[in-house]
Amino acid sequence: MENRKPIDYIFISLKGMAMGIAELVPGVSGGTIAFVTGIYEEFITSINNVNLTTLKLFREKGFATFWDKLNGNFLVALCLGMLISILSLSKVISWLLDTHPIPTWAFFFGLVLASVLFVAKSIKKWGILAIALFILGTVSAFYITTLPPSTSTGSLPFIFLSGAIAICAMVLPGISGSFILVLLGSYKTVLEAVNDKDLAIVTTFAAGVIFGILSFARILKWMFTNYKDATLAILTGFILGSLNKIWPWKNITEVIQIGKKEIIIDENISPFSFTGDNHLTFAIVAAVIGFSLIFILEKSASKK
């Protein structure tokens, strides 16, 4: 989409790594990081270019034209970064969430809170429609974070649908795709299918993911082109509402065992009602660091 130097693709990979880290945290979406780092619309447009028309260019005009239209260098650099962080940092993130949960959640809370301000200031005009959509997005995301997990189902059509919905959640700033799978009751089924190498379920889920991201990218592209402020308003609401999921101080009410994984049902509480050490000072420092990081990312994204 634009002429870039090799160093530019290194920075894109770093942004992809940041997106990958966000997806490793339940309740945080990689789409939020993509937006803050200034690559969200290009990401959506590039996915939108994966279609039959682009594929025809490969046959008619050669690989170079096809790759340029696809924005292939951007997609490869971004996906490579995401893959690197998921493979290399998943254990680190899991360790932090297990051993230092409050400061870790506080860091991401500050990061997502700053993201709300960042996306909101991108809206040029706060009219009645934008305000209404912002409220709708906030209430919807908040409600989703309060839903209990559904019972598991192994029907292939539902697995296909779960993949499509989960990937849409990943692309949208706000709720993470893994959290949506838990709500739909498909998390256990998909996890066990991967472990057991059940190709029928894995293939069906992957097909749903591909269908979901290709179709949803087109919708988002159309919305950004025709109703940018309205789209940004509802996305801002999604991010704000998702803060309920990552509040650092929680009281565990139930633990659901899914294979080797545990799904924790909890409720938010005041840090002063928290049983044990509330790590309030560390949490505030971590939140400030996370909050500040967004504006550091914004400055780096604005530099050409």
Side-chain angles (χ1 to χ4, degrees):
M1 288 191 175
E2 58 182 87
N3 293 324
R4 288 189 167 110
K5 299 176 182 178
I7 188 67
D8 296 323
Y9 291 108
I10 292 176
F11 281 110
I12 290 171
S13 291
L14 291 174
K15 293 174 182 180
M17 289 182 68
M19 289 175 65
I21 292 171
E23 285 300 327
L24 290 171
V25 180
V28 182
S29 171
T32 302
I33 303 301
F35 200 100
V36 170
T37 55
I39 59 172
Y40 189 76
E41 288 191 60
E42 183 174 0
F43 175 52
I44 296 301
T45 300
S46 299
I47 294 173
N48 196 51
N49 285 338
V50 182
N51 53 46
L52 291 176
T53 302
T54 305
L55 290 175
K56 286 181 181 177
L57 290 176
F58 179 65
R59 186 183 63 202
E60 296 174 356
K61 297 187 178 181
F63 179 79
T65 303
F66 157 76
W67 193 250
D68 184 61
K69 175 65 177 177
L70 187 64
N71 202 15
N73 289 341
F74 169 83
L75 286 176
V76 168
L78 189 68
C79 292
L80 182 61
M82 292 180 67
L83 187 62
I84 290 173
S85 64
I86 289 173
L87 293 178
S88 62
L89 298 176
S90 58
K91 290 184 178 180
V92 175
I93 297 297
S94 296
W95 178 80
L96 286 171
L97 291 172
D98 288 339
T99 59
H100 305 285
I102 292 177
T104 304
W105 284 118
F107 170 81
F108 284 104
F109 188 90
L111 187 146
V112 174
L113 180 61
S115 301
V116 175
L117 302 178
F118 176 84
V119 180
K121 77 174 187 178
S122 301
I123 300 173
K124 294 181 179 178
K125 183 178 180 182
W126 278 94
I128 296 177
L129 177 61
I131 293 172
L133 289 174
F134 168 73
I135 295 172
L136 175 63
T138 303
V139 172
S140 298
F142 182 89
Y143 176 70
I144 289 172
T145 63
T146 63
L147 292 174
S150 300
T151 55
S152 180
T153 175
S155 70
L156 293 182
F158 189 78
I159 293 299
F160 180 89
L161 181 64
S162 296
I165 296 175
I167 195 64
C168 292
M170 190 203 81
V171 172
L172 274 176
I175 308 297
S176 69
S178 58
F179 179 66
I180 294 297
L181 284 179
V182 171
L183 293 182
L184 292 172
S186 302
Y187 187 86
K188 177 181 179 180
T189 305
V190 174
L191 184 66
E192 290 180 344
V194 173
N195 292 333
D196 298 338
K197 297 180 176 58
D198 187 330
L199 292 181
I201 291 179
V202 172
T203 303
T204 301
F205 180 77
V209 167
I210 294 171
F211 173 81
I213 196 168
L214 292 181
S215 56
F216 192 59
R218 282 158 177 72
I219 296 173
L220 276 177
K221 175 65 176 175
W222 179 83
M223 290 173 66
F224 267 104
T225 301
N226 297 283
Y227 304 99
K228 187 169 184 176
D229 279 356
T231 303
L232 290 174
I234 197 166
L235 292 182
T236 305
F238 279 145
I239 300 172
L240 179 62
S242 71
L243 283 171
N244 179 62
K245 178 64 181 171
I246 56 176
W247 176 250
W249 295 277
K250 297 180 181 292
N251 178 43
I252 298 175
T253 58
E254 185 182 357
V255 178
I256 300 175
Q257 194 73 31
I258 299 181
K260 295 181 179 180
K261 287 279 186 178
E262 289 183 345
I263 302 300
I264 297 175
I265 310 300
D266 49 34
E267 59 184 3
N268 293 337
I269 59 174
S270 163
F272 304 105
S273 301
F274 186 79
T275 303
D277 190 349
N278 60 15
H279 297 286
L280 186 58
T281 302
F282 288 110
I284 292 173
V285 171
V288 170
I289 293 173
F291 191 92
S292 303
L293 182 60
I294 288 300
F295 295 98
I296 294 172
L297 291 172
E298 176 190 4
K299 280 193 173 183
S300 67
S302 63
K303 292 178 181 178
K304 298 295 182 182

